[in-house]
Amino acid sequence: MLPIIDRPLIQYAVDEAIQAGCDTLIFITNRYKHAVADYFDKAYELEQKLERAGKTEQLELVRHVLPNGVRAVFVTQAEALGLGHAVLCAKEIVGDEPFAVLLPDDLIYNRGDGALKQMTDLNASTGASVIAVEDVPHEQTASYGIVATDAFDGSHGRISAIVEKPKPEDAPSDLAVVGRYVLSPKIFELLEATGTGAGGEIQLTDAIAQLLKSEPVDAYRFEGRRFDCGTHLGLVEATIRFALNSKKLAKPARQKLQEMLAEDD
Ligand code: G1P
């Protein structure tokens, strides 16, 4: 729920999913995160207040939290057993069709199509599962899932191996998994058979390693810029970037930044 300028991080992921054509959004949260469900709930009283006060800009923001035709489902993950386990919590709702996973901490900005739309387009043309990747400095491989690919053509390649958070000396490449996945529903039965992995958690990466044995999975180097909003620096960077992209804020934000940089401390 941390905001970047005027909306919470989760809203950016929701907008990206909707742009890619998702009509059912499944939020896997813990039992303490009622704020997420509250935020997506319709805020009649607030809307009325804003309407009466003539605050049209804010009213638009509140009204478009979820557009018509998109439904939200909230699932509580009773215990934080890992990303793989969180994804498994959505099994009954997803059913037997391809689906996307977005980790909202990874905020991706792109002027054109969002990262997920780029990935669903690739999936539509190949039928393969797709995982977003980007190059990371070699010494940072232990913070990510890392893939090895066959014939990477600059934008995508078939994954031949994937490993969760390898030490730099064990990493098969510097291509790191970013929090966007388009997955075949077969992943659910594989997740059910996945035991604990790196960090003592049930890892999505380990189930994907199993998926590779029976189905094609592509790594896709998306167009856009990722901000790791799970870190303080990433949040600061994203805030500056979105301020500089905003019609209203770009000029004053640039001026403030210049003033600050010119100050001594
Ligand atoms: C998760 C995944 C990891 C991926 C990362 C991207 O890790 O397990 O493979 O590279 O997201 O943000 P986490 O950052 O949750 O530890």
Side-chain angles (χ1 to χ4, degrees):
M1 292 302 293
L2 286 172
I4 300 291
I5 313 288
D6 58 0
R7 59 200 76 194
L9 261 178
I10 189 100
Q11 182 75 53
Y12 292 90
V14 160
D15 291 347
E16 194 184 321
I18 292 170
Q19 194 221 4
C22 299
D23 58 10
T24 301
L25 307 176
I26 307 166
F27 297 86
I28 314 293
T29 63
N30 68 37
R31 67 171 76 88
Y32 306 108
K33 287 196 179 160
H34 297 296
V36 179
D38 288 346
Y39 170 75
F40 286 103
D41 204 357
K42 207 159 165 44
Y44 294 104
E45 282 167 23
L46 180 59
E47 283 187 25
Q48 274 177 4
K49 258 191 189 166
L50 294 172
E51 206 164 3
R52 272 194 231 117
K55 297 193 168 170
T56 43
E57 207 176 307
Q58 288 96 325
L59 185 63
E60 283 303 288
L61 272 182
V62 174
R63 278 203 177 133
H64 290 103
V65 161
L66 280 185
N68 290 339
V70 174
R71 67 177 183 139
V73 180
F74 296 89
V75 178
T76 301
Q77 184 189 18
E79 275 181 278
L81 298 179
L83 176 60
H85 178 259
V87 171
L88 189 52
C89 291
K91 178 184 172 203
E92 307 306 330
I93 304 162
V94 171
D96 195 24
E97 55 178 310
F99 67 103
V101 176
L102 296 94
L103 309 183
D105 281 2
D106 279 336
L107 172 56
I108 303 180
Y109 169 75
N110 190 41
R111 245 176 236 291
D113 281 346
L116 191 67
K117 172 77 169 71
Q118 299 168 36
M119 293 165 70
T120 51
D121 283 351
L122 180 63
N123 167 267
S125 70
T126 62
S129 293
V130 186
I131 297 175
V133 294
E134 73 176 12
D135 302 270
V136 295
H138 190 63
E139 63 278 9
Q140 288 177 15
T141 57
S143 301
Y144 297 94
I146 301 289
V147 303
T149 58
D150 296 329
F152 198 81
D153 74 355
S155 98
H156 69 280
R158 195 117 307 172
I159 298 181
S160 52
I162 183 166
V163 10
E164 183 67 8
K165 303 198 171 94
K167 290 188 202 131
E169 57 270 31
D170 301 327
S173 78
D174 295 342
L175 268 185
V177 174
V178 165
R180 299 291 183 277
Y181 309 75
V182 175
L183 294 171
S184 146
K186 188 171 166 65
I187 200 77
F188 290 122
E189 63 185 71
L190 298 170
L191 279 169
E192 278 167 338
T194 301
T196 50
E201 299 190 335
I202 298 176
Q203 297 291 352
L204 181 58
T205 298
D206 293 343
I208 294 170
Q210 294 304 314
L211 185 65
L212 297 178
K213 295 180 182 166
S214 57
E215 289 187 11
V217 184
D218 286 335
Y220 175 68
R221 194 190 261 142
F222 55 93
E223 281 172 28
R225 167 107 190 262
R226 176 188 70 119
F227 300 95
D228 179 1
C229 294
T231 68
H232 292 147
L233 186 60
L235 264 179
V236 171
E237 265 187 282
T239 303
I240 296 173
R241 182 70 269 159
F242 278 77
L244 295 177
N245 289 345
S246 143
K247 265 197 204 130
K248 211 165 87 183
L249 286 175
K251 229 171 145 187
R254 190 172 292 274
Q255 195 179 334
K256 285 282 170 216
L257 280 171
Q258 276 161 351
E259 283 170 21
M260 282 180 178
L261 291 171
E263 283 167 11
D264 287 341
D265 45 32

